[in-house]
Amino acid sequence: MPALDPIDFTSDLFSTAFERQDPVSVPGRRSLRTVLALLSVIAVLGSAAPTRASQAAPAVPDPAEPSAGQRHPVARDSYDLGPTAFDDAVEAEIQGVVHYPASPQGKKFPVIVMLHGGHDTCAVGGEATVAWPCPAGAQPLPSYRGYDYLGRELAARGNVVVSIGINGLTAAEMAEWRGGKMINQHLALWRKWQAPGDDHAFARAADLKHIGLLGHSQGGEAVARAVAGDAENIEQIKEPVKALFLVAPGAFGKPAEIEQPTAVMLPTCDGDLRGR
């Protein structure tokens, strides 16, 4: 039996997700870099890559290394409204780092929102702790910056990518229940920043009608619940979500029922969710 080409395997996987509208399990042994490099495909976000200079494709394309004609130069921006800016009883930050195609010249690009997993939130004197806001003398741990490499790559492929901080939700053990409300508040800011004359270039480049969500661990469960909603009064995402990519998502309680195309990368050796 001939070996599967990773591009064909991944493309077929995502195409099947669109056709069947079913969750799809991605074996953990597949390269995270390879699968996530095609996240813009599963996000249905539409093709936003520049036109190829030539229609001739290499015999064996590499999904991790697109040709120069497929790539955009990437710009980075960030925003931080403070550690308690989240409009909720839970004290949490409104903070994000954005990677997006530079010099879009009025073009709109799909949006990918990423939520990190649960972790320690503050550090002082070499010791980490879970608290929010961080106590005096402690510094916030920037878990949301851990996806910078992925944001750059997806932006180069024609997406506006934001990784948002959820340290406050993590400390309050409320990420799964408040993740949707957090995302809604970020996207509401982006709509405001799309006004003519505003200096947030990334927001003006964002097509908020085409949104994909990525979440890891606690963040994975948060985005799944936020899309599905449930009887626990979880606030659903108000913008149209086209697809989800869940990386080793948590599954505490009843799993969320998702109608959008969904890919799941299962954990195989982290041990964190063993027995659940």
Side-chain angles (χ1 to χ4, degrees), residues 10-33:
T10 310
S11 299
D12 290 347
L13 181 71
F14 293 156
S15 297
T16 302
F18 286 131
E19 293 168 2
R20 290 172 30 199
Q21 301 284 294
D22 288 338
V24 177
S25 175
V26 181
R29 68 178 180 274
R30 293 285 173 182
S31 162
L32 178 61
R33 184 183 178 199

Side-chain angles (χ1 to χ4, degrees), residues 229-243:
D230 61 21
E232 300 177 68
N233 297 317
I234 292 176
E235 185 172 313
Q236 288 183 280
I237 306 298
K238 295 177 181 177
E239 305 290 350
V241 174
K242 299 298 184 180

Side-chain angles (χ1 to χ4, degrees), residues 130-237:
V130 177
W132 199 262
C134 291
Q139 295 295 319
L141 292 172
S143 292
Y144 73 108
R145 295 297 305 275
Y147 291 133
D148 278 2
Y149 73 98
L150 181 55
R152 287 192 298 269
E153 184 60 34
L154 291 173
R157 295 168 185 267
N159 300 280
V160 177
V161 187
V162 58
S163 178
I164 68 177
I166 58 169
N167 276 348
L169 298 186
T170 293
E173 299 184 348
M174 294 297 289
E176 298 91 335
W177 291 270
R178 293 292 188 270
K181 188 169 186 177
M182 173 71 77
I183 294 171
N184 280 335
Q185 290 190 23
H186 277 265
L187 295 180
L189 282 171
W190 284 44
R191 283 214 173 274
K192 178 181 177 182
W193 291 339
Q194 285 183 333
D198 192 276
D199 62 356
H200 292 87
F202 63 82
R204 294 195 304 274
D207 180 0
L208 295 179
K209 294 181 180 179
H210 291 85
I211 295 175
L213 303 178
L214 181 150
H216 169 238
S217 190
Q218 188 178 75
E221 184 175 3
V223 299
R225 287 177 177 264
V227 168
D230 61 21
E232 300 177 68
N233 297 317
I234 292 176
E235 185 172 313
Q236 288 183 280
I237 306 298

Side-chain angles (χ1 to χ4, degrees), residues 41 46-47 49 88 111 113 118 126 128 132 158 162 183 209 237 241 258 260:
V41 177
S47 175
D88 192 89
V111 177
V113 181
W132 199 262
V162 58
I183 294 171
K209 294 181 180 179
I237 306 298
V241 174
I258 303 170
Q260 286 83 350

